[in-house]
Amino acid sequence: MERSTSLIDQLGNVTDPRPGEPVYPLVNILFMMICEVVAGADDFVAIARFANTKKDWFAKFLDMTHGVPSHDRFNAILNAIKPEEFEPILLAWLTELHKITNGQVIAIDGKTLRRSYDHASGKAAIHMVSAWATANHLSLGQTIVDQKSNEITAIPKLLEIIEVSGGLVTIDAMGCQTEIAAKIIDEGADYCLAVKGNQPTLHEGIKAFFLSHLEDDFARVAVVEHHTKEAAHGRIDERSYYLCELPEDLPDGSRWKGLQAIGMSINNTQRRKGDEIAVRYYIVSKMLPGEDFAGAVRGHWGIENSCHWQLDVTFGEDQCRIRKGHGDENFSTLRRTALSLLKQEKTAKCGVKNKRLTAGWDDSYMEKVVFSP
C-alpha cells in the first residue's frame, strides 16, 4: 500500500481552488477520479456513478464521512485546478520508481484533442505535446501548445518539466530545430531527430552523402548497419538502418550542438498490390550500435501506437467533449496517468481495454493497478 499512501500525500499538495472550507476533501476527489478513469469512466457522470458504487472500497483509504460529490461537483473542481500544478504531482508519483537509464528512448510528439474545440465560445481545439518512455510504456509529461504558437516553442517547455537526463530523445521532423537540439544536450540527454524538407540544406546534404556511399556499399567510409525482415498480416517488411560519423563537410552540420552522426533508414514493404519504399534521414548526437539506432527509429512510433492510439481507441480521447476551464487539459492528464498505470500492471494477460474492465469489476485488481510498485 506504500504507493497509494505516497499518491494521497502528494495529491494533498494540489492547491484547492475552492474558497472557505469545502465539504469534500480535494484528495478524495482527485484519488477517486484517478481510480475511476482507470476503471473505464470517461466523463463526470460515469465518475460519480462509479464512486457511489465503490464507496466502501474508497473508505478503506479515504475519509468518506461526507460521501461522494455529484458529477457537477467533480466537473467544477477539475475545471478549476491549475494544470501546471496538477500534472507534475501525478508525474512525480508515476516516476518515483522509474529512472531514466542511459540510451532509453524518450519519444516526443504532438496530438490534438479534436472534440475540445468549442464553436460557441470560439475556443480552439487543444494541441498537446507529450513525452513517452517507449520501453517502460510510461507517460513522462505533457504541455499544451499555445494557440498562437506551435510545437517548436512547446517542446523546449516540455523538456524543462520532465527528466530526460541520460535518455535518447526522438522527435519527428517538426522538432528538428537547432534550439531544440541544444536544449536536449543542455538537459544531459542525447537526440535522434528526423530530418525532412523543413531543413532543406541539411536534408539534401545527408541525402547526397548516403546516395553516394550506397553506390559502392560504403567502401569509402565506416558505417554501422542493422537489417531486419518481418512477415505478418499479408506483407513483408525489410528494414535497413545505416549510421555514419558526422562528415566534416556536411552542409549546415556545424549549426547543430552535439551532432556526432547522421543516419538513414530504408523500409521496403512488400504487398500483393506492390512494393512501397520509405527512406528517412536523421541527425544523432552520438554514435550508436546499429541495433540501438534501429530501436530509436522504430521506438519513436511507440508514442503513436502505445500512447496516442490507445488514448483514442481505448479511452475515446478524440470524442471527449470536456471543454470548460482547465477540464480538457486536466482530464487528458488523468487519461495518461491511467494508461501508464495499466501498462505497468503485468499480471493480467490482456489488453488495456480489458484491464480497465477488470479494474472496474475486481477491487483486488484495482489495488494492483494503483498500489503496486
Side-chain angles (χ1 to χ4, degrees):
M1 303 297 179
E2 293 181 0
R3 191 177 189 181
S4 171
T5 303
S6 175
L7 171 62
I8 291 173
D9 288 345
Q10 291 193 61
L11 290 176
N13 294 322
V14 179
T15 302
D16 197 327
R18 298 167 294 178
E21 297 185 8
V23 174
Y24 304 103
L26 182 63
V27 167
N28 287 24
I29 292 170
L30 298 178
F31 184 71
M32 284 190 284
M33 283 196 287
I34 291 170
C35 294
E36 289 145 10
V37 173
V38 164
D42 294 328
D43 58 49
F44 295 111
V45 173
I47 284 174
R49 290 179 65 86
F50 180 88
N52 275 296
T53 64
K54 297 289 184 178
K55 283 189 291 187
D56 292 342
W57 182 77
F58 281 121
K60 293 168 62 178
F61 317 106
L62 305 171
D63 178 5
M64 297 294 289
T65 302
H66 298 288
V68 175
S70 68
H71 70 274
D72 287 334
R73 186 55 46 203
F74 278 113
N75 188 348
I77 292 170
L78 198 67
N79 288 344
I81 289 173
K82 295 179 180 179
E84 62 272 19
E85 182 181 36
F86 182 46
E87 190 202 5
I89 287 173
L90 287 178
L91 176 62
W93 176 60
L94 279 172
T95 58
E96 64 182 6
L97 299 177
H98 172 74
K99 301 298 181 184
I100 300 297
T101 55
N102 287 335
Q104 178 177 311
V105 176
I106 302 166
I108 294 180
D109 198 18
K111 182 181 185 300
T112 300
L113 281 62
R114 301 189 185 282
R115 293 284 184 169
S116 61
Y117 171 71
D118 188 357
H119 184 270
S121 66
K123 182 179 180 180
I126 281 185
H127 189 74
M128 310 291 295
V129 173
S130 305
W132 181 254
T134 62
N136 297 81
H137 299 285
L138 192 70
S139 177
L140 298 178
Q142 63 181 10
T143 188
I144 190 169
V145 178
D146 187 85
Q147 291 185 28
K148 297 181 180 180
S149 184
N150 55 36
E151 291 183 18
I152 295 173
T153 57
I155 290 173
K157 295 178 183 177
L158 179 61
L159 290 168
E160 290 178 358
I161 64 175
I162 65 175
E163 176 57 55
V164 298
S165 179
L168 178 63
V169 177
T170 65
I171 313 176
D172 63 16
M174 172 65 78
C176 186
Q177 306 290 330
T178 54
E179 296 84 357
I180 292 174
K183 182 68 175 176
I184 293 170
I185 296 296
D186 292 343
E187 294 295 328
D190 285 293
Y191 59 75
C192 177
L193 308 180
V195 181
K196 290 185 178 179
N198 61 327
Q199 296 289 345
T201 303
L202 182 67
H203 179 260
E204 289 302 317
I206 297 174
K207 181 178 178 181
F209 174 89
F210 280 107
L211 285 176
S212 171
H213 289 288
L214 279 170
E215 291 179 354
D216 59 9
D217 198 23
F218 294 92
R220 293 167 288 132
V221 67
V223 63
V224 174
E225 301 182 44
H226 185 70
H227 305 274
T228 64
K229 185 175 182 178
E230 300 173 359
H233 308 295
R235 72 183 194 186
I236 299 174
D237 283 304
E238 293 182 311
R239 298 182 176 92
S240 297
Y241 305 89
Y242 304 92
L243 191 68
C244 295
E245 289 187 358
L246 175 68
E248 292 184 0
D249 59 349
L250 179 71
D252 204 33
S254 61
R255 291 198 307 123
W256 301 84
K257 186 173 184 177
L259 179 57
Q260 296 293 323
I262 58 175
M264 176 179 66
S265 69
I266 303 174
N267 184 13
N268 183 6
T269 302
Q270 302 170 31
R271 296 185 177 91
R272 289 183 178 179
K273 63 180 181 180
D275 293 0
E276 295 178 7
I277 297 179
V279 181
R280 299 181 177 90
Y281 302 100
Y282 302 87
I283 55 173
V284 189
S285 62
K286 69 175 181 180
M287 281 297 295
L288 300 168
E291 189 172 358
D292 290 353
F293 174 55
V297 170
R298 294 197 65 182
H300 179 77
W301 303 112
I303 195 170
E304 288 288 343
N305 299 329
S306 296
C307 182
H308 293 167
W309 185 86
Q310 289 281 8
L311 289 170
D312 285 341
V313 175
T314 307
F315 288 78
E317 182 167 77
D318 261 358
Q319 300 304 313
C320 182
R321 294 178 175 271
I322 297 171
R323 299 166 178 167
K324 294 181 179 179
H326 300 303
D328 41 16
E329 189 173 351
N330 285 330
F331 212 102
S332 177
T333 295
L334 290 177
R335 281 189 291 264
R336 282 163 171 75
T337 300
L339 177 59
S340 294
L341 291 174
L342 291 162
K343 289 279 191 178
Q344 297 301 299
E345 206 299 299
K346 305 295 186 182
T347 63
K349 305 303 180 184
C350 58
V352 173
K353 177 181 178 181
N354 285 316
K355 285 184 178 181
R356 294 186 84 192
L357 292 171
T358 304
W361 296 329
D362 185 345
D363 292 345
S364 63
Y365 183 69
M366 174 66 84
E367 293 180 19
K368 287 183 180 180
V369 174
V370 299
F371 298 160
S372 299

